[in-house]
Amino acid sequence: MTDFNIKIDLTWHDVATRVVLVLATVAAIVWFMPRDTRLTFKIEQGKPWRYADLTAPFDFPVYKSETVLKAEIDSVLRDYEPYYIFNKDIGNDKVREFLQAFSLKKSKLPVDYKIIIANRLRALYEQGIVDTKEPLGGDGDTLHILRMVRDKTAQSISAAQVLTAPQAYEMLVNDPTLQKQREHFMVLNLNNYIVPNLTYDRERSEASREDLIASVPKASEVVQRGQAIISHGTVINKKEYQVLESFLRERDRLHANETHLSSTILGRTLYVLLIVTGFTLFLSVFRADYFEKMRSVGMIYALVILFSILASMLVSHTVFHVFILPFAMVPIFIRVFMDSRTAFMAHSCMVLICAVILQHPLDFVAIETVAGLTAIISLRDLSSRSQLLWTAFFVTLASFLMNLSLDLIATNSFAGIDLSEYNYLMVCGVMLFCSYPLLYIMEKMFGYTSNITLIELSDMNKELLRRMSEVAPGTFQHSIQVGNLAAEIARKIGAKAQLVRTGALYHDIGKIANPIYFTENQSGGINPHEQLSCIESAQMIISHVTEGMKLAEKHNLPEVIKNFIATHHGQGKTKYFYVKYKNEHPDEEVDELLFTYPGPNPFTKEQAILMMADAVEAASRSLPDYTEQSIRQLVNRIIDSMLADGFFRECPITFRDIAYAKTVLIEKLKTIYHTRISYPELKK
């Protein structure tokens, strides 16, 4: 028996294992954290600013909106004059080519028309034939004025003054002077002598265009460092929206040149290390019974790592909102398998770790803390499967209400509330309904037994219990009575009532093998022990523990139930046959191991409760009369004897707990064996 302060008994290997586990936990969480630590804001024009007051941390320009900037650029580009180079040699060459071709061909066209056509060609080339392979004005803009570069001199002319090749051809063939001989000169194919002599100067034109665009200022004003940008709750108008957009744009530009990644990782590592180390110290000081079990520590850290990594991945890839993750599963699982305080501490640590990777950590911490507390409170006494479903409902409702309160604080009205977050919280609530099937997986992975499993094992239609009720009905009734007594004690001293009740139902299942050798199953005055020696009888009684362990193994009972079977007699003796044998052999040295149960002694509070309830209930059946004094003496004698024999030395049960156990047993036995008044007989 120990006091409240449980001492940790770990080897250096165990300590090293836990240190490695802490470091591995920190490394895994930090490794998956998103690399970009910049805060982002959801900016909506016409909606209130939900975040804290924002002050400029550096000087930055307020950039014009895309619409305004495009309008100003379009206005400037109206004066844009693309450059075209005039090539006089092209016109001369083509006129010469025409004259030579005309001289060689036999045409009915009079010779004087040759001179007229040549002069017309010279006039067209002098006016300028533009190359339409390049877009007029550059990027598809309408061309009004162009700059003709001629003999190193640039001259602005109207775009209407120059011709395209088709226009020049139409002017030539439609010349009034040539119409009389139209049918003769059309055979000359004059189209071959009309080619562009104005070519687009891309380099000079684009430089001119860029100069015009660059002349338009991108910013309308400058915000000085320390200047207030926007206050909490202010409705974002058009101007403030542009200021905020400019701030984010300039911050991103500055951040691209920063190289503080190593210091960020160092800070995160230190942050996570402090939280995980603090939680580890909490377990070692206040929950040493969990800390000593690697499966307990492993399960808690595995849950914290899993949800921290999932949160990091959602933030890194911006797939969904982080509220979609059912963080409340962590306190649900830990509460079911351990206790409320450990569940709350683990949940708090996980929430704090996840908060550092989020853009708005205060909202997240508030909502998830309330969700975790709701889950823990709703599972304070898990007695049915439906409680997990109700827990999911209550957690979702609490999250909704907390998020609504934060929205109302930020927006001051229902109209400005963003409903998208509520959709994610609804999905999270649906995912919480998966807690029940996942609970089974957690049990198998980490070797735990939940209250739901214990309730299922308590079903009287289970094969072992049904068989016991048929083969050993006295033992079956005894087990039920012991379960009721033990559960009352457990509730009184803060132990696990459902666990000890289920353990009580199975603690004597070994008696199924030879039920007749146990008093509660004997009838008609037949006692088979009369045919056996004291040693054989003692071995037969002791065998119900070993037989019970075999049946438990065969039927895959949880380890915690097997422990009740092994410890309900501890390393005590079959005193009846031990004393009888000593009386019959006073001069012989007795081998006490032949009369001793294999044990071990109880090592949990629940096992100690069962040992007390089992011994008292069995002994109470042999009382000659059921008075308060006789019951009190019986209870005190049996439990004091257990204390004297040292059965509770390895068990975390206190003298105060034992005193309460005695009180409960006395009161319950008085109720069970209360004196009834005898009914009078009717006189004839």
Side-chain angles (χ1 to χ4, degrees):
M1 186 180 67
T2 62
D3 201 348
F4 286 110
N5 297 322
I6 302 172
K7 296 181 180 178
I8 302 177
D9 186 16
L10 297 177
T11 64
W12 283 107
H13 178 267
D14 295 330
V15 174
T17 302
R18 282 151 181 77
V19 170
V20 170
L21 180 62
V22 169
L23 296 177
T25 300
V26 174
I29 293 173
V30 174
W31 176 264
F32 283 94
M33 280 185 171
R35 299 294 181 259
D36 191 356
T37 59
R38 292 170 292 172
L39 291 174
T40 57
F41 305 103
K42 187 175 182 180
I43 308 171
E44 294 181 279
Q45 192 170 330
K47 296 290 183 68
W49 178 251
R50 297 182 54 193
Y51 316 105
D53 296 352
L54 184 61
T55 304
F58 47 78
D59 296 347
F60 67 91
V62 178
Y63 296 102
K64 298 175 183 176
S65 67
E66 294 295 329
T67 304
V68 172
L69 192 61
K70 186 178 185 305
E72 292 184 3
I73 290 175
D74 291 343
S75 176
V76 169
L77 289 179
R78 293 192 185 97
D79 299 329
Y80 170 57
E81 299 177 3
Y83 285 83
Y84 285 82
I85 300 174
F86 181 85
N87 192 332
K88 62 181 180 181
D89 295 334
I90 292 177
N92 295 334
D93 292 341
K94 287 299 179 181
V95 171
R96 190 181 304 111
E97 184 180 334
F98 166 74
L99 293 175
Q100 292 175 353
F102 186 84
S103 301
L104 295 174
K105 291 182 180 180
K106 295 180 180 180
S107 175
K108 295 181 180 180
L109 188 67
V111 177
D112 56 341
Y113 275 86
K114 176 181 76 170
I115 304 302
I116 295 173
I117 292 173
N119 290 335
R120 295 293 186 271
L121 284 174
R122 289 191 185 94
L124 291 174
Y125 281 114
E126 184 66 23
Q127 185 175 348
I129 302 174
V130 70
D131 185 1
T132 55
K133 291 181 180 179
E134 295 290 344
L136 294 179
D139 299 327
D141 298 331
T142 302
L143 181 64
H144 299 287
I145 300 174
L146 57 84
R147 293 181 71 81
M148 182 187 294
V149 180
R150 188 170 187 174
D151 297 330
K152 298 182 180 181
T153 302
Q155 179 185 3
S156 297
I157 62 172
S158 172
Q161 293 181 250
V162 298
L163 304 170
T164 62
Q167 289 174 338
Y169 177 77
E170 289 295 325
M171 288 184 66
L172 180 61
V173 298
N174 293 325
D175 191 302
T177 308
L178 302 176
Q179 291 307 305
K180 294 180 181 181
Q181 300 294 330
R182 182 181 178 87
E183 61 180 12
H184 298 295
F185 73 76
M186 289 297 290
V187 300
L188 297 177
N189 198 8
L190 298 177
N191 202 34
N192 293 334
Y193 308 107
I194 299 176
V195 296
N197 67 336
L198 281 177
T199 56
Y200 181 65
D201 188 344
R202 177 175 294 277
E203 183 177 353
R204 191 181 297 182
S205 297
E206 290 184 353
S208 174
R209 181 185 177 87
E210 292 300 322
D211 288 343
L212 284 174
I213 293 175
S215 66
V216 178
K218 303 296 188 296
S220 58
E221 58 180 301
V222 175
V223 175
Q224 302 290 331
R225 178 180 180 181
Q227 182 178 337
I229 298 177
I230 193 170
S231 301
H232 175 77
T234 303
V235 177
I236 303 173
N237 58 28
K238 186 176 181 180
K239 180 181 179 182
E240 288 164 339
Y241 179 86
Q242 204 57 41
V243 172
L244 291 168
E245 285 285 346
S246 301
F247 166 70
L248 294 179
R249 176 178 171 183
E250 189 67 11
R251 189 197 58 182
D252 291 343
R253 186 186 68 81
L254 295 173
H255 184 78
N257 301 321
E258 293 178 354
T259 56
H260 299 310
L261 185 59
S262 59
S263 61
T264 300
I265 293 176
L266 178 61
R268 287 177 170 179
T269 303
L270 183 59
Y271 177 84
V272 177
L273 180 62
L274 287 172
I275 293 177
V276 175
T277 302
F279 178 66
T280 305
L281 292 175
F282 162 80
L283 288 178
S284 65
V285 174
F286 298 104
R287 284 294 179 265
D289 50 337
Y290 299 147
F291 190 68
E292 289 178 352
K293 299 174 184 176
M294 194 60 194
R295 66 171 183 174
S296 301
V297 179
M299 186 191 79
I300 296 172
Y301 284 24
L303 289 172
V304 172
I305 291 173
L306 175 63
F307 280 89
S308 298
I309 290 176
L310 289 176
S312 296
M313 293 178 70
L314 285 183
V315 172
S316 298
H317 299 90
T318 60
V319 183
F320 296 107
H321 197 285
V322 75
F323 283 161
I324 203 172
L325 290 176
F327 291 99
M329 275 189 182
V330 174
I332 287 175
F333 290 148
I334 298 176
R335 172 64 188 87
V336 168
F337 296 128
M338 298 180 196
D339 65 274
S340 299
R341 185 159 56 164
T342 305
F344 178 71
M345 289 298 296
H347 182 65
S348 299
C349 291
M350 178 193 64
V351 168
L352 289 175
I353 289 172
C354 293
V356 77
I357 64 175
L358 301 177
Q359 308 295 344
H360 316 298
L362 293 180
D363 291 3
F364 173 79
V365 170
I367 293 171
E368 294 303 334
T369 299
V370 168
L373 281 172
T374 305
I376 293 169
I377 294 170
S378 63
L379 292 173
R380 64 190 182 278
D381 185 19
L382 183 60
S383 57
S384 65
R385 303 180 191 90
S386 62
Q387 272 188 262
L388 286 172
L389 304 181
W390 281 109
T391 295
F393 171 76
F394 289 133
V395 167
T396 305
L397 179 62
S399 301
F400 266 57
L401 293 176
M402 176 53 73
N403 196 50
L404 177 63
S405 66
L406 294 173
D407 283 339
L408 291 176
I409 292 172
T411 61
N412 299 320
S413 68
F414 287 96
I417 292 177
D418 182 9
L419 298 179
S420 62
E421 292 182 355
Y422 296 89
N423 296 330
Y424 292 118
L425 290 174
M426 181 67 73
V427 175
C428 174
V430 173
M431 294 177 70
L432 279 176
F433 283 102
C434 300
S435 299
Y436 177 68
L438 290 176
L439 202 61
Y440 179 78
I441 298 174
M442 296 294 292
E443 287 187 36
K444 297 304 179 184
M445 285 181 61
F446 295 98
Y448 278 102
T449 304
S450 68
N451 270 15
I452 295 176
T453 301
L454 294 174
I455 293 167
E456 292 172 347
L457 289 173
S458 300
D459 185 356
M460 298 304 175
N461 292 315
K462 287 290 182 181
E463 181 182 351
L464 273 176
L465 297 181
R466 189 178 69 253
R467 184 179 167 194
M468 186 195 297
S469 67
E470 295 170 354
V471 176
T475 301
F476 181 70
Q477 293 301 322
H478 162 71
S479 298
I480 293 176
Q481 198 75 281
V482 170
N484 293 333
L485 292 172
E488 285 298 321
I489 298 171
R491 277 190 282 269
K492 185 68 174 178
I493 67 175
K496 298 176 182 177
Q498 186 59 53
L499 173 59
V500 74
R501 183 190 294 276
T502 307
L505 290 175
Y506 287 90
H507 79 285
D508 272 345
I509 58 171
K511 293 181 180 180
I512 294 175
N514 298 288
I516 196 63
Y517 286 93
F518 300 91
T519 308
E520 66 267 21
N521 299 312
Q522 296 171 2
S523 61
I526 300 173
N527 188 353
H529 288 288
E530 295 175 356
Q531 309 300 321
L532 302 176
S533 67
C534 290
I535 293 177
E536 289 173 335
S537 293
Q539 290 297 307
M540 185 61 68
I541 297 298
I542 291 170
S543 69
H544 87 274
V545 174
T546 55
E547 290 296 329
M549 293 298 289
K550 291 177 183 178
L551 284 172
E553 194 70 37
K554 179 181 177 181
H555 290 270
N556 296 317
L557 292 182
E559 193 67 28
V560 288
I561 303 300
K562 295 177 186 177
N563 291 335
F564 282 108
I565 298 171
T567 62
H568 74 278
H569 285 297
Q571 293 177 334
K573 294 181 177 63
T574 54
K575 288 189 176 180
Y576 178 86
F577 296 106
Y578 174 70
V579 173
K580 183 179 178 183
Y581 184 85
K582 287 194 71 173
N583 290 337
E584 292 175 356
H585 304 83
D587 300 326
E588 183 181 331
E589 186 175 349
V590 181
D591 184 0
E592 295 188 359
L593 290 177
L594 296 174
F595 299 91
T596 304
Y597 287 97
N601 288 327
F603 51 85
T604 68
K605 190 180 291 188
E606 289 75 19
Q607 292 166 11
I609 292 170
L610 178 61
M611 174 181 273
M612 290 186 284
D614 179 42
V616 169
E617 201 282 333
S620 68
R621 295 173 181 268
S622 63
L623 284 174
D625 59 335
Y626 296 100
T627 64
E628 181 177 351
Q629 183 178 1
S630 63
I631 292 173
R632 186 180 301 277
Q633 287 176 349
L634 174 72
V635 171
N636 287 330
R637 175 170 54 82
I638 291 176
I639 296 180
D640 290 344
S641 175
M642 290 178 177
L643 279 170
D645 291 339
F647 287 150
F648 304 144
R649 287 175 183 169
E650 301 170 13
C651 178
I653 192 167
T654 66
F655 288 110
R656 182 173 178 269
D657 294 336
I658 293 173
Y660 278 131
K662 288 181 179 180
T663 303
V664 171
L665 288 170
I666 293 169
E667 294 301 322
K668 287 298 175 182
L669 289 176
K670 283 166 56 180
T671 305
I672 294 170
Y673 299 116
H674 68 279
T675 303
R676 295 179 181 271
I677 58 173
S678 57
Y679 288 86
E681 294 183 4
L682 180 65
K683 294 180 180 181
K684 296 181 181 180

